[in-house]
Amino acid sequence: MDYPAFYRVKQRFDVTSIKDVAQAVRHEFANFKPGPKIRAGQRVAVGVGSRGTHDLKILVATVVECLRAMPLQPYIIPAMGSHGAATAEGQVQVLAELGITEESVKAPIVSNMDVVSLGRIESGAEVFFAKDALAADHIVVINRVKPHTAFRADVESGLCKILAVGCGRQKGAENMHKYDLGKTIIPAARLIMQKTSILCGLAVTENAFGGTHSIKLAGPEEFAGVDRRFLKIAWSLLPKLPMDDLDILLVDEMGKNVSGAGMDPNVIGFWRREGGPRIPDYRILIVLDLTPHSHGNATGIGMADLTTHRVIDQIDWNATYMNVFTSGVLRSARMPIPLENDRAAVEAALARVPVPAKARMARIVNTGELVTFWASEALLPELRANANVTVDNQPLELRFNADGRLTPMGNGESF
């Protein structure tokens, strides 16, 4: 079979970022006025999620530093719903892989899956909250604000969501996902604020390179407003591929550290997860690997059309099903067709194109790394016409090793 030639492509995105993230956090705390609600020596539970946040260790360590200066006694709690296979040990391991340990942030980590019901909101949703957070005098949360992978609203992933879903552990997250998240997150967060002492929340946005773009330390009354404002910023920064029409999208890896959905539907097409218009229309999607940080959780594999036996062999079905049942998006665990190896998967996809050498095809590392990707020759005219794209002139080939595994594409010329 004749494979298409590929070319390295680099996109230009907004690279604005905060140079000294720790100092920016200290500045936010210096301007924060908690009032008479705090007393020296009080304990503060700091909720930390599992979503990919580039500067998470710096953010958490500096928040701990600032709380100690107040002077309060902070400790870390996982605020990640069912992630880490919905076990206390698994969630501590997730934090450790994100760089959050007792040694790195200089605060104890307390983890268990116990929750307490705080009541119901108007929709009927029961709101659960982490028992180890309620043991503290106050609660602080840290979260990246970004578009969600399963719903659209003016408040999506952010401070309100980590309260309503992340701090609800597996039981609370599963219950919240039974309802319309876009309509329940804010009421649930408000109920939590009424029943607990939320001291503040640190919201951040990131640019396409993972740099911290914006930081805001918000009081609880500001959570929804900051979430709305930062979500608009996050949408403007969200990296995507610069073409909406592909025969084949080849994804080197998927995983929970890439996106909560394994692959970000905002990149590959929301229709693959939730239905709707096929925009962008990537007609065949191949996924070739599962990241080690996923620990076998292959939530989102159902959005692929083709995969390999290697991916299937890595899947921890218990962890995957726990995540899927918690989110309620059961189709996330549907099975794509597994082929013997990468070569078989690529050739099966190309066989669906009338002239394989002229296929409109792109290769990406994962949906979170889109600054550089590789595009087939058929895409070059439109890419070269795009002012925000630079195309290398050196053609590259798809190469496979003796086991049929696709090798790294190579860098081509320097831009």
Side-chain angles (χ1 to χ4, degrees), residues 378-394:
L379 298 169
L380 296 189
E382 63 195 81
L383 290 173
R384 285 176 172 150
N386 188 326
N388 292 315
V389 163
T390 301
V391 180
D392 194 350
N393 292 319
Q394 179 178 330

Side-chain angles (χ1 to χ4, degrees), residues 331-345:
R331 53 192 169 275
S332 291
R334 288 176 179 170
M335 281 299 302
I337 299 173
L339 281 303
E340 181 181 359
N341 53 38
D342 298 357
R343 182 192 294 273

